[in-house]
Amino acid sequence: MADPDAWLGGRLHLHQPPPGAHRAGTDAVLLAHLVAPEPGSTVCDLGAGAGAVGLAVAALNPACRVVLVEREATLVELARANVALNGLGDRASVIEADILAAATARHAAGLLPGLADLVVTNPPYFDESRHRPSPVAGKRDAHSFGAGDLDGWLRTCTDVLGPKGRLGLIHRADALEHCLEALRARFGGLAIRPVHARADRPAIRILVTATKASRAPTSLLPPLVLQQADGRFTPEAQALHRGAGLPTT
């Protein structure tokens, strides 16, 4: 196993898949900071990969418990190694389960209804019918969805959350309409923050928080800009990467 990467200014160390496979980056950093869990709550990272988001949440919020959910056996192994590497075995666990499986299979794997107070998730971004999938299996699975898979993914998020549980989601900006369609019947109180690579360019990501079964209205938050004109991180983006930024909601 290769040497681990240092994350959040060295507050977290992660074994990641080899170069060429899907590796956690800025999206994971943004998602980890998106929602501050209540002390004593359980946070579920659905589609955890090697555990970057969930373990970052655990590192940033020492009073919460984290459950990492991943279906790929090699990533499950990495996630468990990362739990041990960071000394989080008393607050973090890993479930090997397919998020898109039937409810009976998910529940049998330990992904039980009402398991979590907060779900954070970074679903695959691309419709497999509209882009050329990566030839690397792990990267292809991490990036590509079939028709209706986003709806199924968010159905599982709803099942995993307890009453009035909260969701934190990151997705492509051009998938906003599909996200709203899948969220509308299940969540309310949506807060949407667009993420821009630079201030003069269109948004590339959306950060969304929502509350299960809420009837609160949707709000659009000020944008997050990642880079200055010279390509360097903005102060806010730099703080988030160092683990010093405050949650956006």
Side-chain angles (χ1 to χ4, degrees), residues 181-200:
E181 289 175 355
L183 289 165
R184 191 170 289 121
R186 303 177 175 109
F187 293 89
L190 276 68
I192 303 166
R193 186 173 190 184
V195 180
H196 300 251
R198 298 191 185 184
D200 60 348

Side-chain angles (χ1 to χ4, degrees), residues 56-88:
V57 171
L60 293 167
N61 303 276
C64 74
R65 178 176 175 270
V66 173
V67 180
L68 310 175
V69 182
E70 175 55 48
R71 73 174 184 179
E72 298 296 332
T74 54
L75 293 176
V76 168
E77 181 180 350
L78 282 177
R80 288 176 173 151
N82 286 330
V83 169
L85 175 65
N86 290 281
L88 292 169

Side-chain angles (χ1 to χ4, degrees), residues 43-62:
V43 181
C44 189
D45 178 2
L46 286 181
V53 173
L55 294 180
V57 171
L60 293 167
N61 303 276

